[in-house]
Amino acid sequence: QVQLVESGGGLVQPGGSLRLSCAASGIIFSRHTMGWYRQAPGKQRELVAGITNGGNTNYADSVKGRFTISRDNAKNTVYLHMNSLTPEDTAVYYCNAARQIWEYWGQGTQVTVSS
């Protein structure tokens, strides 16, 4: 059974930082492209950042220079380091694992940026 378990969300003040983690099980983690998506109230889910099994990364324009995605294949974990957070970053953040035709999602973790 595939499980993606996110952690690290919470309430943070504008300008603050958070690190999200996603621990994967039930998949060959090193072979999957991993991604972080987010969905704000009333908006569509959007890609925030992705990292391929080879370590290539891509970011949404809105987070470039502020967020960093990384992976630890030994721990089957992908991270999202978020700096300089703004209220516009408030959303539920979802972990995604993809390989060929298969795709898996975590349950999401809430990030709220507010003073």
Side-chain angles (χ1 to χ4, degrees):
Q1 181 181 359
V2 178
Q3 282 193 312
L4 301 177
V5 180
E6 301 102 333
S7 60
L11 174 64
V12 63
Q13 292 188 340
S17 300
L18 280 176
R19 187 185 78 163
L20 305 183
S21 300
C22 171
S25 60
I27 60 172
I28 304 175
F29 181 81
S30 62
R31 296 183 183 178
H32 284 69
T33 291
M34 301 301 297
W36 286 98
Y37 290 71
R38 67 186 179 187
Q39 187 166 20
K43 294 187 177 182
Q44 289 188 329
R45 191 174 296 190
E46 63 174 355
L47 175 67
V48 176
I51 184 166
T52 68
N53 57 351
N56 294 317
T57 59
N58 64 289
Y59 298 91
D61 287 343
S62 60
V63 307
K64 282 181 181 176
R66 299 189 298 124
F67 291 10
T68 303
I69 189 170
S70 61
R71 64 191 297 161
D72 185 336
N73 288 341
K75 296 182 178 179
N76 288 357
T77 301
V78 62
Y79 304 97
L80 185 67
H81 301 257
M82 304 185 294
N83 297 318
S84 303
L85 286 161
T86 74
E88 288 67 39
D89 296 314
T90 295
V92 178
Y93 284 70
Y94 296 90
C95 178
N96 174 275
R99 179 172 179 256
Q100 296 179 348
I101 64 170
W102 295 280
E103 187 175 45
Y104 309 99
W105 292 92
Q107 82 287 350
T109 185
Q110 176 70 46
V111 171
T112 302
V113 185
S114 175
S115 55

